[in-house]
Amino acid sequence: MARPRTPLLSRERIVAAALSLVDADGLDALSTRRLATELSVSGPSLYNHFATKDDLLDAVVDSVMGEVDLSMFDAPEDWRTALRDWARSYRAALAAHPNVVPVLAQGPGRRPNALRLADAVFGCLVDAGWPRGQATRIGALMRYFITGSALGSFAGGFPEDAAVYAADYPHLGEAHLLAEHRRAIDEGAFETGLAALLDGLALRHPTAGRTP
């Protein structure tokens, strides 16, 4: 029997192609017609795997969540270290796929990897002695911080024309140079914020200030 010229469709192949499309051209570029063309298949064949575009988009976003390392929660050294290592992995996944961040920021929905992530973070915090209400709020806080840091580049948002700042913005005399160092600035800002968050949370931990 002759092999098919086009590899058989699978959910995994469709999701990978859709993510590549979103990475390259943004969320608005994702359509059944465009994706079918990329895969060299007919549009209706995609519906054998995903009932709607929203279902497909959920799977695409969840595939990014699957890139986040959760192993630090298996046997955490302590909650601060676990949260720090997870936050770095989470940001790295979002930085690799920034175009999915607006959808991801809406919450986990029914996405298995996203729910697994939320469960791991919440469980770590509760096991470390945080009250359940506080653990929920901390998980939300961390997600706000991480997704916010991945929405765009602060340093890259400044025009490279020094004349823009010369007359009216005396404290921004070197702002035109920021774009050249966007990665170092953005990563440094993330690390500064992460350390400040964890230091602040440590002061609020139920055992803070208690003597053994």
Side-chain angles (χ1 to χ4, degrees):
M1 181 180 294
R3 292 184 177 180
R5 294 181 181 179
T6 303
L8 295 176
L9 274 183
S10 65
R11 287 179 63 90
E12 291 75 16
R13 184 173 170 235
I14 294 170
V15 168
L19 179 57
S20 294
L21 189 58
V22 171
D23 283 344
D25 297 323
L27 288 167
D28 290 341
L30 182 60
S31 68
T32 301
R33 178 179 297 180
R34 175 88 181 269
L35 185 57
T37 299
E38 294 288 328
L39 291 166
S40 301
V41 300
S42 64
S45 63
L46 299 176
Y47 292 109
N48 293 326
H49 300 274
F50 295 97
T52 67
K53 178 182 173 180
D54 286 342
D55 290 339
L56 171 59
L57 190 55
D58 267 354
V60 169
V61 172
D62 205 45
S63 72
V64 175
M65 290 294 89
E67 297 179 13
V68 181
D69 183 16
L70 299 179
S71 64
M72 67 286 297
F73 296 118
D74 293 340
E77 176 183 342
D78 61 81
W79 66 270
R80 288 185 62 180
T81 301
L83 249 59
R84 182 201 65 198
D85 294 347
W86 161 71
R88 288 172 175 169
S89 179
Y90 196 172
R91 183 179 184 274
L94 300 190
H97 308 284
N99 289 336
V100 307
V101 174
V103 178
L104 182 148
Q106 297 172 8
R110 296 176 179 270
R111 302 167 194 145
N113 288 325
L115 290 169
R116 195 173 297 116
L117 183 154
D119 180 71
V121 173
F122 181 76
C124 173
L125 291 167
V126 171
D127 289 346
W130 288 97
R132 295 173 68 86
Q134 278 286 79
T136 299
R137 289 188 284 275
I138 292 169
L141 168 65
M142 295 298 294
R143 188 169 66 84
Y144 297 153
F145 171 66
I146 297 165
T147 55
S149 75
L151 280 174
S153 170
F154 172 81
F158 287 87
E160 298 179 11
D161 181 4
V164 171
Y165 314 99
D168 300 317
Y169 310 103
H171 301 296
L172 298 179
E174 297 185 346
H176 63 289
L177 303 175
L178 294 178
E180 298 177 15
H181 308 285
R182 59 189 298 175
R183 180 171 180 176
I185 293 170
D186 293 341
E187 291 184 358
F190 173 77
E191 288 294 333
T192 299
L194 180 60
L197 272 177
L198 296 176
D199 287 348
L201 288 172
L203 295 175
R204 298 174 63 90
H205 189 272
T207 61
R210 295 181 187 175
T211 55

